Amino acid sequence: MKISQITFTRFLAAMAIVISHFNKDLFLYKIDYISNIFLKANVGVSYFFILSGFIMIVAYHKKDKIEYFDYYKNRFARIYPLYVLGLLLYLITRYSNFSIYKCFLYLFGLQSWLPGEAMILNFPGWSISVEFLFYLLFPLLYNHFYSKGNKSIWVVTIIIWMITQVFCSLYSGSSYYQGPHTESHELLYYFPLMHINEFLVGNLAGLYFVKNTSQKNYDVPVIVIFGLILLSLIFLPLFYHNGLMALLFIPIIILISRNNGFLTRIFSLKPLEYLGEASYAIYITHIPVLYILRELLKWGNYNFSIDTVFGIYIVFLIIICILFYQFIEKPLRDYLKRLKIR
């Protein structure tokens, strides 16, 4: 089952994260309320994790059993080549950060398990530690719970989600949390176990969807929920990063997936769907691409304003990442999937 209209939402989430990592002198941060959205736009990673859990169920729900080796090989082929490319591009301008120890952590996706190490090299890559955990667990969950209709996983998931929310809320307001750029911050934001609830609730949303796939025009509900997401980011001082926004992300994912209205016709346009397919390249390489662009502008002695650099950067990033997707991600993914390992 392919849900074309949901793919473009990945691009929107990726671009929100890109803007959140750009210079805070950008004009968007000078607009009341709008600035609050982009200051919290790293919640887009939460969306990715929930959507990943949802898509896994949609992709595999007709199987009686998942073959472990093929699954792990396919997942590795999907995310690892561009992840390594992001590391290499990062080291072009930040080579002084290199060490054998850091290289070992990052190549094996271990950085986020060690608070203080998650953000040293290409920092959007912290998510690969989380994704590796998701991919490790999914065949086990599918073969022993989801494919057998075992309802106990629903209770376990809800409990894990609630425990995560309570812990994160209490910890972020306690004396143990010392703020950004500390080990306590990395434990709260990047430690893989803090995010397992997002993948699990995404799985449950997928289970609900595949049993309730009747389509209808949900344009208005989708717009309303999207508005609620924006209003929440603007006005509610809550801790969003570890699954709380599932309360809004899951409804919007399901409604977009079941929608057959005008928004679906727009989101399903081939160019927009293609941008969604290239969203991983955008997410995982946007920081090194920004650093490289800055070096090129400095080398050319160009003295543009922040807003002009931002415009150049967005165009440059999208073009480069389309090339990455078309000529690196897709060919390597297809090659690795076909590769026979004995």
Side-chain angles (χ1 to χ4, degrees):
M1 184 186 299
K2 184 179 181 182
I3 313 171
S4 300
Q5 65 267 31
I6 203 69
T7 304
F8 178 62
T9 66
R10 291 164 46 192
F11 173 77
L12 297 178
M15 293 308 298
I17 295 167
V18 167
I19 295 171
S20 76
H21 289 159
F22 196 76
N23 194 305
K24 297 303 183 286
D25 291 329
L26 183 66
F27 72 97
L28 291 171
Y29 291 94
K30 298 174 183 178
I31 303 173
D32 287 342
Y33 304 121
I34 297 296
S35 62
N36 291 342
I37 295 172
F38 290 107
L39 287 169
K40 299 174 183 175
N42 57 2
V43 76
V45 182
S46 238
Y47 180 79
F48 286 145
F49 291 159
I50 294 168
L51 184 61
S52 177
F54 177 84
I55 293 298
M56 285 292 104
I57 292 294
V58 172
Y60 288 93
H61 77 278
K62 292 184 178 180
K63 291 183 176 292
D64 295 326
K65 182 180 180 181
I66 293 177
E67 296 297 330
Y68 290 92
F69 180 77
D70 286 342
Y71 174 83
Y72 292 139
K73 184 181 71 168
N74 289 341
R75 290 295 92 202
F76 178 87
R78 172 68 181 85
I79 66 171
Y80 197 71
L82 274 188
Y83 170 74
V84 173
L85 175 65
L87 278 178
L88 294 175
L89 292 176
Y90 181 89
L91 290 171
I92 289 175
T93 60
R94 297 294 186 275
Y95 51 85
S96 62
N97 290 343
F98 177 82
S99 73
I100 298 299
Y101 170 69
K102 294 173 189 174
C103 184
F104 174 84
L105 287 182
Y106 277 73
L107 285 177
F108 286 91
L110 299 173
Q111 63 269 39
S112 299
W113 289 99
L114 302 173
E117 303 290 349
M119 308 296 279
I120 294 175
L121 301 181
N122 183 29
F123 54 82
W126 70 267
S127 63
I128 201 167
S129 299
V130 182
E131 292 173 274
F132 278 173
L133 176 62
F134 293 166
Y135 297 157
L136 179 66
L137 293 177
F138 182 71
L140 297 168
L141 292 169
Y142 187 87
N143 291 343
H144 296 286
F145 292 94
Y146 302 144
S147 66
K148 299 181 183 303
N150 191 326
K151 301 298 183 184
S152 63
I153 192 65
W154 288 74
V155 177
V156 171
T157 296
I158 292 169
I159 291 173
I160 290 174
W161 184 85
M162 293 178 66
I163 289 173
T164 304
Q165 305 317 309
V166 171
F167 174 81
C168 290
S169 180
L170 293 177
Y171 187 82
S172 62
S174 73
S175 59
Y176 296 102
Y177 178 63
Q178 300 173 340
H181 312 298
T182 65
E183 291 184 5
S184 63
H185 182 82
E186 294 198 4
L187 173 66
L188 191 60
Y189 279 76
Y190 311 127
F191 193 65
L193 293 182
M194 297 295 184
H195 296 281
I196 192 66
N197 75 92
E198 296 165 316
F199 186 71
L200 292 176
V201 296
N203 287 164
L204 298 191
L207 291 172
Y208 172 82
F209 171 76
V210 296
K211 294 179 180 178
N212 301 272
T213 57
S214 60
Q215 291 194 315
K216 185 179 176 182
N217 188 333
Y218 289 108
D219 284 347
V220 173
V222 167
I223 292 170
V224 169
I225 295 175
F226 183 70
L228 290 175
I229 291 171
L230 297 182
L231 290 173
S232 298
L233 297 177
I234 290 171
F235 294 110
L236 298 181
L238 300 175
F239 187 85
Y240 295 109
H241 198 64
N242 292 334
L244 180 60
M245 288 296 282
L247 297 172
L248 293 174
F249 285 159
I250 286 177
I252 203 168
I253 288 170
I254 291 175
L255 290 175
I256 290 174
S257 299
R258 295 177 65 184
N259 187 30
N260 63 5
F262 177 74
L263 288 176
T264 288
R265 292 194 292 274
I266 295 297
F267 285 10
S268 298
L269 291 173
K270 289 302 180 182
L272 299 187
E273 184 182 358
Y274 189 85
L275 288 175
E277 294 289 350
S279 62
Y280 179 63
I282 291 171
Y283 169 75
I284 204 66
T285 66
H286 73 273
I287 291 299
V289 168
L290 175 60
Y291 291 167
I292 291 170
L293 177 63
R294 285 175 175 170
E295 291 298 320
L296 290 174
L297 293 176
K298 188 187 299 182
W299 177 74
N301 200 28
Y302 296 108
N303 189 23
F304 296 125
S305 68
I306 290 294
D307 295 340
T308 301
V309 171
F310 173 73
I312 296 171
Y313 169 53
I314 293 300
V315 173
F316 184 69
L317 175 67
I318 291 174
I319 292 173
I320 289 294
C321 288
I322 286 174
L323 295 176
F324 288 162
Y325 171 69
Q326 189 65 40
F327 297 107
I328 297 178
E329 179 181 347
K330 284 178 65 177
L332 283 177
R333 181 184 65 197
D334 294 342
Y335 171 76
L336 290 172
K337 283 183 177 181
R338 292 193 306 266
L339 188 64
K340 302 294 184 183
I341 303 176
R342 297 184 182 275

